[in-house]
Amino acid sequence: MLKLRSRRRLNHHLSGSHGKSALCKGWTRGGGQEPGGPHNFREERADLNQGLIFPEDKKTEAAIKIQAWWRGLLVRRALLHAALRAWIIQCWWRAALARALDKRRRTMLLLYSRQEGAVVKLQARARMWRIRRCFCRARAAACIIQAYWRWYASRHRKLESNHTTAEHLEIDIKILV
């Protein structure tokens, strides 16, 4: 609001020494009319000397304030929407990274479990082969021993059967509990 009370203030204001002159705020020097017209500079200056406030200045300041408030509101709203959109994109990106990391972990775990399973199978088969080989050798040795024992026993029985008497038929029975 522009409220001038003295001639000195008016001259200072109109000279433009404070930055902006009153001409920038809607003051005119006749508005394209003759100097003697109804809206010339001298009449406006005379009105200012009386301390009157022009409605145009009040309306202009109010309009400027409303426009500044509205533009500020639009900028704040745009910044809020931009921040929310950035937040949404960041959340999506973090979720995408988490999914990719989880997928990579699962793939590595599956690969590790397959390798571990293959190693366990190989070790089990190697142990089985080694134990089976020992078992087969022991069985073959037992078969050989049994064959020789049967041969020996059958030969001995034939020799003893000729000399068998009641004295030789003693039976030793041992009960183990």
Side-chain angles (χ1 to χ4, degrees), residues 13-165:
H13 190 71
L14 291 177
S15 69
S17 62
H18 68 287
K20 286 188 174 181
S21 68
L23 293 173
C24 295
K25 292 187 176 185
W27 292 72
T28 60
R29 293 184 183 255
Q33 300 176 1
E34 294 295 323
H39 295 290
N40 66 18
F41 182 72
R42 287 184 186 162
E43 288 176 3
E44 291 172 355
R45 193 170 180 181
D47 290 339
L48 282 174
N49 284 334
Q50 294 173 5
L52 297 175
I53 299 170
F54 290 102
E56 292 85 27
D57 288 337
K58 202 173 194 181
K59 288 180 183 178
T60 304
E61 280 192 38
I64 289 172
K65 285 184 181 181
I66 291 170
Q67 288 174 355
W69 171 80
W70 180 251
R71 287 182 186 132
L73 180 75
L74 291 177
V75 168
R76 284 188 297 276
R77 188 182 297 168
L79 289 174
L80 178 65
H81 285 290
L84 287 175
R85 288 180 184 131
W87 179 72
I88 289 170
I89 291 170
Q90 289 171 352
C91 288
W92 173 82
W93 181 248
R94 287 185 193 119
L97 285 178
R99 281 191 302 269
L101 183 63
D102 188 45
K103 185 177 179 182
R104 190 179 321 145
R105 283 181 184 162
R106 286 184 184 195
T107 304
M108 294 301 290
L109 182 63
L110 183 64
L111 181 63
Y112 175 76
S113 64
R114 283 183 183 171
Q115 287 176 348
E116 193 73 20
V119 167
V120 168
K121 278 187 179 180
L122 284 173
Q123 290 174 348
R125 293 209 177 171
R127 286 188 199 114
M128 182 185 68
W129 176 77
R130 193 177 69 215
I131 292 170
R132 184 173 169 81
R133 190 178 62 180
C134 288
F135 170 75
C136 288
R137 285 182 183 167
R139 187 177 65 181
C143 287
I144 292 171
I145 291 171
Q146 287 173 357
Y148 279 112
W149 178 255
R150 287 181 188 139
W151 176 79
Y152 174 77
S154 69
R155 296 251 335 174
H156 237 325
R157 271 189 240 146
K158 286 181 184 177
L159 292 175
E160 286 183 5
S161 65
N162 297 336
H163 300 288
T164 307
T165 60

